[in-house]
Amino acid sequence: MSLGALRPSPLVEQATVHLREQITGGEWAVGTKLPGETALAKSLGVGRSTVREALRALAGAGLVQARQGAGVFVIATRPNEDWSVQLRQAAITDVYEVRMLIEVEAAQLAAQRRTDDDVALLHEALARRRDAANAGNAEFVAADIALHEAVVAAAHNPVLTGLFTEFAPVLRQRLLDLVELLSLRSDDPNHGDEGHAALIDAVVKGDAQAAGRALRDELKQTLALLHSL
């Protein structure tokens, strides 16, 4: 079977796409042993090293698996989706449930570990959120997310920070949708200020239980709104 010769650049990416299409399009079913590197290289019009790199990429996507002494076999017809893609496609209620687990723990750690610099940044974040009450929804939501980022950063755990960084773009868009859909700021442009002030106060005072409680209450309220839609 001829796959069609490829253009000169970029060969690895093109080879990967061609081979992936053969798998996802059903040309090679699960359990099928792929042709050898030499045969694939000839069909694609590339070198064996290019084919080898393409197969590594497909293995990384969970589509093929090399079996020592036997060859390369198709193990799935749909590639694994990376974390950011899964987040974008997830239900916002599911995202919020996981967010609650991450952020409540982060807030409690922040209360125990915050430094003087963190305290200053937390006060600044709360002030910026209050200032954004006079701005549009997009600016207000961005300031809200920035405050939560400051709390997570004060926990001084790079894994928690990394997880929240992955969540932030999805949260920003979904929160903006929620604010606009329910007109949450029509009566109170600084919606949620009391809860956020309580959170920052608890972290600054080093009260881990109060910090966790303030954040849990806030997120539960938002989750209840989401479930009501």
Side-chain angles (χ1 to χ4, degrees), residues 4 9 26 44 47 56 67 100 117 134 137 139 151 159 164 167 170 187 200 202 206 224 226-227:
S9 66
L44 295 169
R56 286 198 187 106
R67 298 174 186 169
M100 192 178 302
D117 287 342
N134 299 315
N137 288 337
E139 292 84 353
V151 172
V159 176
F164 190 81
F167 274 79
V170 175
D187 295 327
I200 298 304
L226 291 168
H227 280 302

Side-chain angles (χ1 to χ4, degrees), residues 153-212:
H156 295 282
N157 182 312
V159 176
L160 284 173
T161 301
L163 285 172
F164 190 81
T165 299
E166 290 286 345
F167 274 79
V170 175
L171 291 174
R172 187 176 292 109
Q173 185 56 54
R174 301 296 181 83
L175 279 174
L176 181 58
D177 293 342
L178 183 66
V179 167
E180 295 181 343
L181 179 64
L182 298 181
S183 301
L184 293 180
R185 302 178 63 220
S186 58
D187 295 327
D188 180 11
N190 196 11
H191 178 78
D193 179 66
E194 183 177 351
H196 285 81
L199 169 62
I200 298 304
D201 184 62
V203 173
V204 169
K205 289 181 177 178
D207 190 336
Q209 289 188 343

Side-chain angles (χ1 to χ4, degrees), residues 48-219:
R48 289 180 59 187
S49 61
T50 298
V51 169
R52 197 172 299 121
E53 289 300 319
L55 291 175
R56 286 198 187 106
L58 294 176
L63 291 173
V64 302
Q65 182 181 64
R67 298 174 186 169
Q68 189 171 5
V72 178
F73 292 81
V74 176
I75 60 172
T77 55
R78 293 182 60 186
N80 294 331
E81 294 175 336
D82 64 29
W83 178 234
S84 60
V85 172
Q86 291 183 47
L87 278 176
R88 288 196 299 270
Q89 295 177 346
I92 186 58
T93 49
D94 292 338
V95 172
Y96 250 81
E97 287 175 355
V98 177
R99 181 189 180 189
M100 192 178 302
L101 295 173
I102 293 172
E103 280 200 68
V104 169
E105 180 64 24
Q108 293 173 337
L109 288 175
Q112 298 167 4
R113 300 175 177 177
R114 81 282 181 272
T115 65
D116 290 343
D117 287 342
D118 293 325
V119 168
L121 290 172
L122 290 168
H123 283 310
E124 289 175 12
L126 181 61
R128 285 196 298 270
R129 189 181 188 277
R130 287 171 170 169
D131 289 341
N134 299 315
N137 288 337
E139 292 84 353
F140 182 75
V141 168
D144 179 87
I145 294 295
L147 182 148
H148 286 271
E149 286 176 333
V151 172
V152 173
H156 295 282
N157 182 312
V159 176
L160 284 173
T161 301
L163 285 172
F164 190 81
T165 299
E166 290 286 345
F167 274 79
V170 175
L171 291 174
R172 187 176 292 109
Q173 185 56 54
R174 301 296 181 83
L175 279 174
L176 181 58
D177 293 342
L178 183 66
V179 167
E180 295 181 343
L181 179 64
L182 298 181
S183 301
L184 293 180
R185 302 178 63 220
S186 58
D187 295 327
D188 180 11
N190 196 11
H191 178 78
D193 179 66
E194 183 177 351
H196 285 81
L199 169 62
I200 298 304
D201 184 62
V203 173
V204 169
K205 289 181 177 178
D207 190 336
Q209 289 188 343
R213 183 170 55 251
L215 188 49
R216 188 182 295 108
D217 290 346
E218 180 212 335
L219 296 180

